[in-house]
Amino acid sequence: MANNPRHKFTTQVLVIGSGAGGAITAATLAEAGYSVLIAEEGPEVNLSGMATHTPRAMQLLYRNGGLSPILGNTNIAFVEGCCVGGSTEINSAFWLHTPPEAVHRWQKIYGVRDLSVEALELLFKEIEIELGISFLNSDELPPSSARFKYGAEKLGWLIEEVPRAQTTNLGGSAYAPDAKRSMSRTYIPRALRAGARLLSNCHITRLHHRRGRVSHVSGVLKRPARERNLWGRPQRYYTSNVLIEAEFVFVCGGAIQTPVLLRSSGIKRNIGNNLRIHPMLKVAALFDEPLDSHHTALPIYQVKEFWPDITLGGSVFTPGFLALTLSENWTENQEAMRNWRQMALYYAACRGSNQGTVRVFPFTHEAIVRYRLSRQDQRNLSIGLARLGEVLFAGGARKLYPALQAPSVLNSLAECRMLLEKPIPISAMSLTTVHAFSTCPMGENDALCATDSFGKVYGFENLYIADASLIPDSPGVNPQGTIMALALRNVRHFLEEKGRL
Ligand SMILES: Cc1cc2nc3c(=O)[nH]c(=O)nc-3n(C[C@H](O)[C@H](O)[C@H](O)COP(=O)(O)OP(=O)(O)OC[C@H]3O[C@@H](n4cnc5c(N)ncnc54)[C@H](O)[C@@H]3O)c2cc1C
């Protein structure tokens, strides 16, 4: 039991986390008549008029203000949301379907049963109506996307406009984050309309279980405070213990926090051993004319010529993100900031080929995430950067500033092509990732999987997972669609088993 809990709740279903997996799970269960409580660690934030990549938004919406390190043989920063709606509030809302080859691999290696490409496609169609998935439908491209598209077409490479979860009928810019149909604007309101309750600022710290049943969970509630602290300053928050009793518990904290919660609760079998990521190398590009990329912050194209191993695309732009990319060689490259209106950010990402781990730091219960870049990742990122350089120089770029210790500047196509021969040293790379998954894979392969083929944790009667951690291995595409389609599939299976469908 939590130490003297100040708040107690009882519910039929507890959903922990309100991101891509949690929100659709909660809405489906509430609409099927279950009493549902959603516990979300982060705050509820009114996003109207707030650009979700400003420094203030990063403090409010991102875990650790946007900087969570992954330990290994090079710097990798992991970015995830911590707010009502989870990472869908801060993402670019690119919407891609699960590639059939991934579905076949998951059936074969992980023993996922009753998962068909056709059935997934039907689920995608259903979710797409709620999320307003659409293309930009405009001839007026943002200049940074237009340059990128022009470069790829000149080379004759396959390039796609990626559909996004966005409304197209906004008065303002369709590129603005405000246009996005994130969870706080779609499935969470649906869940609430169907009677679900939402506890924001509620961090679940432990699942209490005996003989394969979770009896209750404990956590901490953070509430705004009026009191002053010991030093006489106004206190921002006070915290109190919370205890929640539930018949069924769905853990939806994302690929890192879900294994942290399970492992902290003593549930460890095949949990946190199979982390997959898409490592990403960012590049700032300088053009001759002003692009004003800050007005059209969201990118819309991906080069698919080298997919599934390598994807090239445009990154969200702010002067702050530009400075971060240049900061790898700040002494040499800071002058470039003067030309920020002529610059844009792009990336080369690869389907990481290694497996990482998630463990828990004793005492503080923080995540310790490890991933070592493999030789194959190193090669793919080097080729990716070379190919990205080809597109950008063909699109009119004058100089490229990669997030590398060296080379700090790429001045020509010839310099880019050298990276095809001589890969960049791993230790020189400064990488980010916004795609993590597979820490609790689903399937019938008992040796590898943490849950059955529908997200029910092995050895438990009433504990389920419904988020990125279930995806058996890297899908090679932006994962929000896959997470939501799998969560919907699995929760429907739960309802069917309970005779509620
Ligand atoms: C900057 C960025 C850009 C991205 N762009 C795209 C894109 O364009 N397209 C795409 O497909 N994907 C994109 N992604 C990835 C995508 O958003 C995530 O993969 C997806 O949202 C993960 O869903 P999830 O349900 O697993 O976790 P999340 O959506 O991250 O939600 C998990 C929630 O659980 C909460 N939580 C965690 N632990 C606890 C706890 N113990 N107690 C209570 N609450 C808890 C968290 O605070 C969080 O709100 C992007 C991600 C980022 C960060």
Side-chain angles (χ1 to χ4, degrees):
M1 289 266 167
N3 291 336
N4 304 319
R6 260 181 74 183
H7 304 273
K8 276 193 185 175
F9 297 89
T10 305
T11 180
Q12 267 180 309
V13 183
L14 171 65
V15 175
I16 301 170
S18 62
I24 196 167
T25 300
T28 310
L29 289 166
E31 285 168 357
Y34 275 100
S35 88
V36 174
L37 179 68
I38 308 168
E40 165 56 55
E41 180 176 348
E44 202 169 347
V45 181
N46 179 0
L47 293 170
S48 299
M50 184 195 281
T52 53
H53 38 262
T54 57
R56 171 154 169 71
M58 290 180 79
Q59 282 307 326
L60 280 174
L61 307 172
Y62 290 48
R63 185 171 295 277
N64 302 330
L67 282 180
S68 305
I70 295 184
L71 310 176
N73 48 359
T74 190
N75 298 327
I76 309 181
F78 175 58
V79 184
E80 64 179 329
C82 182
C83 58
V84 170
S87 303
T88 70
E89 305 303 320
I90 61 172
N91 72 13
S92 298
F94 278 4
W95 184 259
L96 288 156
H97 291 200
T98 319
E101 53 139 53
V103 173
H104 298 144
R105 197 173 58 240
W106 300 340
Q107 288 164 340
K108 209 166 138 195
I109 299 176
Y110 297 86
V112 180
R113 70 178 170 90
D114 300 342
L115 180 74
S116 78
V117 175
E118 296 72 30
L120 272 182
E121 283 301 313
L122 291 178
L123 296 170
F124 271 110
K125 281 212 168 63
E126 188 181 331
I127 302 167
E128 281 164 11
I129 295 169
E130 180 66 44
L131 299 193
I133 301 297
S134 55
F135 291 97
L136 194 63
N137 295 326
S138 161
D139 294 334
E140 269 185 51
L141 289 181
S144 60
S145 292
R147 294 262 142 236
F148 187 66
K149 182 171 181 245
Y150 177 72
E153 285 176 350
K154 216 162 138 189
L155 295 166
W157 288 354
L158 184 65
I159 181 164
E160 277 178 6
E161 180 187 340
V162 184
R164 291 184 50 229
Q166 65 180 8
T167 51
T168 47
N169 56 355
L170 274 196
S173 163
Y175 309 106
D178 213 23
K180 203 164 55 180
R181 299 274 294 161
S182 57
M183 292 304 106
S184 71
R185 290 158 199 241
T186 53
Y187 282 98
I188 293 170
R190 253 174 80 164
L192 300 182
R193 278 199 300 276
R197 289 171 293 165
L198 171 64
L199 264 185
S200 55
N201 287 313
C202 177
H203 181 200
I204 302 301
T205 49
R206 198 174 171 86
L207 311 172
H208 300 264
H209 53 96
R210 263 191 87 200
R211 297 205 188 108
R213 262 198 89 76
V214 176
S215 53
H216 61 284
V217 313
S218 50
V220 177
L221 259 182
K222 215 162 83 169
R223 288 287 173 249
R226 289 211 191 90
E227 297 88 8
R228 294 187 172 263
N229 65 18
L230 286 176
W231 298 273
R233 297 210 185 95
Q235 244 177 231
R236 286 181 64 206
Y237 297 105
Y238 70 85
T239 54
S240 53
N241 293 334
V242 64
L243 183 151
I244 305 170
E245 285 174 340
E247 269 175 62
F248 303 101
V249 176
F250 285 74
V251 184
C252 312
I256 306 299
Q257 303 308 320
T258 285
V260 166
L261 177 58
L262 293 171
R263 293 190 72 92
S264 304
S265 308
I267 305 167
K268 298 185 179 168
R269 191 170 147 63
N270 293 335
I271 305 278
N273 301 341
N274 188 45
L275 171 74
R276 308 295 174 113
I277 60 171
H278 291 158
M280 184 163 90
L281 181 58
K282 286 206 185 175
V283 174
L286 174 69
F287 293 85
D288 284 336
E289 69 287 355
L291 307 178
D292 283 336
S293 304
H294 59 297
H295 285 320
T296 52
L298 293 173
I300 53 174
Y301 285 104
Q302 286 182 341
V303 167
K304 291 289 193 175
E305 184 76 16
F306 312 101
W307 188 85
D309 292 326
I310 301 167
T311 304
L312 313 176
S315 243
V316 172
F317 183 95
T318 66
F321 286 171
L322 172 64
L324 258 181
T325 305
L326 296 175
S327 67
E328 208 51 47
N329 291 287
W330 188 244
T331 318
E332 292 153 64
N333 289 344
Q334 57 182 301
E335 278 296 308
M337 278 306 286
R338 293 183 195 282
N339 300 317
W340 67 274
R341 288 189 54 211
Q342 288 160 240
M343 298 183 83
L345 291 169
Y346 301 90
Y347 68 83
C350 75
R351 188 171 65 166
S353 62
N354 218 347
Q355 278 164 261
T357 56
V358 178
R359 294 290 181 266
V360 183
F361 199 74
F363 312 116
T364 65
H365 287 219
E366 305 270 347
I368 307 173
V369 186
R370 292 195 186 90
Y371 181 90
R372 287 181 70 79
L373 219 62
S374 66
R375 291 282 162 215
Q376 197 179 327
D377 296 348
Q378 177 193 18
R379 226 176 8 256
N380 283 338
L381 286 168
S382 304
I383 296 171
L385 179 56
R387 298 301 187 198
L388 181 61
E390 291 197 53
V391 178
L392 294 174
F393 281 115
R398 286 284 154 251
K399 271 178 196 234
L400 305 182
Y401 301 90
L404 295 176
Q405 282 164 22
S408 60
V409 184
L410 293 165
N411 293 293
S412 67
L413 204 54
E415 287 180 30
C416 289
R417 289 202 176 133
M418 272 163 56
L419 301 171
L420 296 174
E421 309 298 322
K422 194 166 176 262
I424 305 156
I426 288 179
S427 59
M429 296 183 181
S430 195
L431 306 173
T432 45
T433 185
V434 294
H435 298 166
F437 11 71
S438 315
T439 47
C440 309
M442 65 180 208
E444 305 304 313
N445 182 340
D446 189 47
L448 296 177
C449 297
T451 79
D452 72 7
S453 294
F454 298 94
K456 187 175 180 184
V457 177
Y458 278 124
F460 283 83
E461 281 169 36
N462 65 342
L463 179 62
Y464 299 79
I465 296 174
D467 61 19
S469 30
L470 281 188
I471 303 179
D473 63 27
S474 166
V477 294
N478 304 57
Q480 182 184 337
T482 299
I483 295 164
M484 294 189 72
L486 289 179
L488 183 56
R489 161 193 183 264
N490 292 356
V491 73
R492 291 252 167 89
H493 182 265
F494 170 89
L495 290 174
E496 214 174 291
E497 274 196 342
K498 304 289 173 236
R500 295 280 195 124
L501 199 65

